[in-house]
Amino acid sequence: MGVKIGGEIERMNGKELSYEEFVKNYVEKNQPVVITGLMDDWRACNDWVTKDGLPNLSFFSLNFGKSKVQVADCGRREFNDQKIVEMSVSDFVGNWVDFSSKECSSASSCEDSNELLLYLKDWHFVEVCKICEILRIIRRNYDEYPDYIAYTTPLFFRDDWLNLYLDSYNMHMDETSQEKNEVNCSDYRFVYMGSKGTWTPLHADVFRSYSWSANVCGRKKWLLLSPSQSQLVFDRHMKSSVYDIFEDVSETKFPGFNKAIWLECIQEQNEVIFVPSGWYHQVQNMEDTISINHNWFNAHNLSWVWKLLLKDYNEAKGYIEDIRDICDDFEGLCQRNLAINTGMNFPDFFIFIIRFSLANLFQLCSLVKDHKIKVHDPFMAQHTMSNLASIKQVVSDMENFLQELGFCLDVKEVLKKPDFMKLCIAMGVTYRRLRDEHWKHNFDTTEVDCGDFLHSIDDSCGKVYSPNDLVKLINHVATDLGAIFGEVKL
């Protein structure tokens, strides 16, 4: 029995959609949407596409040929994902050209041959550009380009706490880690490239984040399943999900699968799809395709991240429960395993939340003069207060899970670090762009300091040991700033 299609994804013209409408109708309702009109000025839409509308593979070989990338072999399964191989971009392009000249054009046919149906996924293109000095390379080969920015993140997706954070901090550091200079895990901004027939197995996105995916060229077929039905794609023990929804799915192993009702979407060139938190999806390239993809989260879906962490923590703990009595630091081992399996653990997530709480409070401090209710920008005040209210709601659920970890973070030390100021400046630029799409002003960083903010933090809340301490800190600083605006209350 084939999958049951219950409808199509709504389409909107991005030029007729405001940021507030996008948040109200899709982000807050956690509903997918395809948006047109967002890519008109992207350089990638010219450089990466030939006159015939095909991927400009020579551009990537010329400028990124030596870059090492992780490539999925779509014809070979490894556990519950596709087998991953590492190669250079040049070798990947060579394989693509060779593959396109032959008749192997699907995963099933490749399984019966020696052909590789390769799909370049999760290529950290933005970070690679920085590391390989792409600006210098592009200037040498394309003299008309004074610099090279392939695309700009559409306004609707700018409130991206995940990538703003990773531009300043590593997500996970412990006593055995060292500063990361490699590209891996540096951000969640990716380029995907694959020939017709390449595909991604059924999955929900990392951290249960939002994602957006823009087709620079080619067409994709998406099948999406609402979070309210996600249990239907799992086995009877809720341990593993269906790998390929188009294969012969065992009714015995997955008894609920045939009840699932899917939404279908054919994504055309120059269209962007928004995939909300917790939506399982499977995607196939109907033509040779290049896409740009970001994973992101913010105050609206922070609770999804915590729920996933808690679920994965309970699973990690269950796997090693039998060694609890002989383990010197059982909880520490659980957290290490959680970081490896999920990409962060409880302390990582809590530190992330603390820093974003402080960054939002800093935004308020920069809006209020002389600690009175006199605000330059009501939109910014309302936005940051909403963020803090969401943070408080999430951390209230975390109180019982950090007690055994001996956690402590010195707030004033955080505020003194250059990385924190970098985060604050980036957040300020982002929120001003959300308020005014055409806002072009650049911050004069010499005028930005934490002096007033530091003074608003006294010794009673200068160190955070628990989620409850963070709530007290937020309340203390917000009250000291007189920052209660509109209908948002802390």
Side-chain angles (χ1 to χ4, degrees):
M1 180 183 295
V3 296
K4 298 177 181 177
I5 307 300
E8 297 183 355
I9 305 298
E10 184 179 0
R11 275 181 159 77
M12 290 295 299
N13 183 343
K15 296 177 180 178
E16 300 174 355
L17 182 68
S18 71
Y19 177 75
E20 290 78 10
E21 290 171 334
F22 172 71
V23 170
K24 179 180 178 180
N25 295 329
Y26 305 106
V27 174
E28 291 181 354
K29 294 180 180 179
N30 208 48
Q31 290 296 308
V33 64
V34 173
I35 308 178
T36 60
L38 301 182
M39 303 167 60
D40 295 348
D41 58 350
W42 285 12
R43 186 165 287 177
C45 293
N46 293 316
D47 296 348
W48 299 5
V49 186
T50 67
K51 293 180 180 179
D52 298 327
L54 299 174
N56 187 357
L57 299 180
S58 62
F59 176 88
F60 292 96
S61 288
L62 177 63
N63 295 299
F64 302 95
K66 295 182 180 180
S67 180
K68 294 294 183 180
V69 290
Q70 301 291 315
V71 178
D73 181 354
C74 295
R76 290 165 176 80
R77 178 174 176 176
E78 191 170 76
F79 303 106
N80 209 40
D81 205 345
Q82 294 163 334
K83 181 177 175 62
I84 301 297
V85 295
E86 183 178 281
M87 61 179 61
S88 68
V89 169
S90 180
D91 287 342
F92 169 74
V93 169
N95 176 274
W96 188 339
V97 172
D98 185 56
F99 172 84
S100 298
S101 67
K102 299 179 181 179
E103 296 184 357
C104 177
S105 59
S106 70
S108 58
S109 60
C110 285
E111 288 178 346
D112 301 324
S113 70
N114 292 323
E115 297 293 338
L116 297 179
L117 183 59
L118 298 182
Y119 192 6
L120 193 166
K121 300 181 182 180
D122 298 341
W123 183 19
H124 297 263
F125 180 80
V126 172
E127 191 65 21
V128 167
C129 285
K130 299 174 185 176
I131 292 177
C132 73
E133 298 181 304
I134 186 59
L135 299 185
R136 177 182 57 80
I137 296 172
I138 292 296
R139 287 193 187 107
R140 184 187 65 199
N141 293 311
Y142 298 90
D143 292 336
E144 69 271 24
Y145 294 163
D147 58 4
Y148 190 75
I149 300 175
Y151 67 97
T152 55
T153 301
L155 181 72
F156 303 122
F157 318 125
R158 290 282 182 94
D159 192 10
D160 176 354
W161 291 11
L162 177 59
N163 289 297
L164 281 179
Y165 187 80
L166 292 173
D167 286 340
S168 297
Y169 300 99
N170 290 320
M171 182 60 76
H172 177 72
M173 293 288 291
D174 59 30
E175 67 276 4
T176 62
S177 299
Q178 296 187 8
E179 288 294 332
K180 294 182 178 181
N181 294 316
E182 72 273 15
V183 172
N184 292 336
C185 299
S186 58
D187 64 6
Y188 286 85
R189 308 177 182 104
F190 306 116
V191 166
Y192 279 41
M193 300 173 59
S195 59
K196 177 182 177 180
T198 51
W199 65 293
T200 300
L202 182 66
H203 68 286
D205 283 326
V206 60
F207 303 139
R208 296 303 180 264
S209 57
Y210 301 136
S211 66
W212 63 267
S213 178
N215 270 5
V216 176
C217 67
R219 303 168 76 226
K220 291 178 183 285
K221 180 178 182 178
W222 293 73
L223 274 296
L224 298 96
L225 188 69
S226 165
S228 64
Q229 299 186 68
S230 61
Q231 74 280 1
L232 299 177
V233 298
F234 278 81
D235 62 23
R236 59 181 66 253
H237 304 293
M238 295 299 293
K239 293 296 184 182
S240 63
S241 63
V242 172
Y243 175 73
D244 179 0
I245 64 176
F246 296 112
E247 68 182 0
D248 185 16
V249 177
S250 169
E251 188 173 354
T252 301
K253 184 175 181 181
F254 301 98
F257 179 73
N258 289 332
K259 301 176 184 177
I261 307 297
W262 301 79
L263 293 182
E264 184 179 54
C265 171
I266 304 300
Q267 182 189 13
E268 304 289 346
Q269 182 170 328
N270 294 337
E271 292 185 340
V272 182
I273 186 170
F274 166 64
V275 181
S277 290
W279 282 72
Y280 275 78
H281 50 284
Q282 184 166 317
V283 190
Q284 182 170 8
N285 291 325
M286 304 174 69
E287 301 172 351
D288 290 0
T289 303
I290 301 177
S291 64
I292 295 168
N293 309 266
H294 285 202
N295 291 99
W296 51 295
F297 54 77
N298 56 35
H300 289 289
N301 63 340
L302 205 60
S303 62
W304 285 88
V305 184
W306 169 243
K307 289 175 183 176
L308 176 69
L309 276 177
L310 187 56
K311 170 182 172 293
D312 288 357
Y313 165 77
N314 288 327
E315 289 183 0
K317 184 169 66 171
Y319 288 141
I320 61 173
E321 188 66 43
D322 56 344
I323 66 168
R324 177 189 287 270
D325 293 339
I326 60 173
C327 184
D328 292 335
D329 183 11
F330 180 76
E331 185 59 34
L333 180 59
C334 290
Q335 294 299 327
R336 285 192 290 275
N337 289 347
L338 180 59
I340 292 170
N341 296 332
T342 305
M344 69 170 105
N345 57 26
F346 288 176
D348 298 331
F349 184 56
F350 191 43
I351 291 172
F352 172 95
I353 287 178
I354 293 172
R355 285 170 172 159
F356 263 96
S357 299
L358 295 172
N360 276 281
L361 289 169
F362 177 84
Q363 301 303 324
L364 288 179
C365 186
S366 68
L367 294 172
V368 178
K369 279 188 174 180
D370 300 324
H371 293 196
K372 298 177 182 179
I373 305 178
K374 184 177 181 181
V375 183
H376 297 291
D377 191 334
F379 172 88
M380 286 274 286
Q382 187 77 7
H383 196 89
T384 52
M385 292 294 284
S386 295
N387 289 343
L388 291 166
S390 295
I391 286 173
K392 286 178 60 177
Q393 185 174 0
V394 171
V395 298
S396 66
D397 295 331
M398 299 178 62
E399 184 65 35
N400 296 327
F401 296 94
L402 292 171
Q403 296 176 357
E404 299 181 47
L405 299 177
F407 183 89
C408 179
L409 191 69
D410 189 317
V411 172
K412 293 190 176 183
E413 287 302 313
V414 172
L415 300 181
K416 294 175 183 177
K417 300 292 186 181
D419 286 341
F420 176 73
M421 189 50 57
K422 179 181 176 182
L423 175 64
C424 288
I425 293 171
M427 176 181 279
V429 170
T430 295
Y431 289 170
R432 283 165 177 78
R433 288 298 300 272
L434 296 184
R435 176 201 61 191
D436 180 3
E437 181 178 356
H438 303 291
W439 185 79
K440 299 295 185 183
H441 177 69
N442 291 320
F443 274 128
D444 181 355
T445 57
T446 62
E447 297 180 357
V448 179
D449 67 73
C450 288
D452 289 341
F453 191 17
L454 278 167
H455 291 317
S456 69
I457 299 175
D458 60 27
D459 293 339
S460 66
C461 57
K463 293 185 178 180
V464 174
Y465 296 93
S466 70
N468 187 49
D469 290 336
L470 178 59
V471 171
K472 291 178 180 178
L473 171 63
I474 293 172
N475 290 339
H476 171 81
V477 177
T479 300
D480 190 45
L481 293 174
I484 300 179
F485 305 99
E487 297 179 357
V488 180
K489 306 293 184 183
L490 285 177

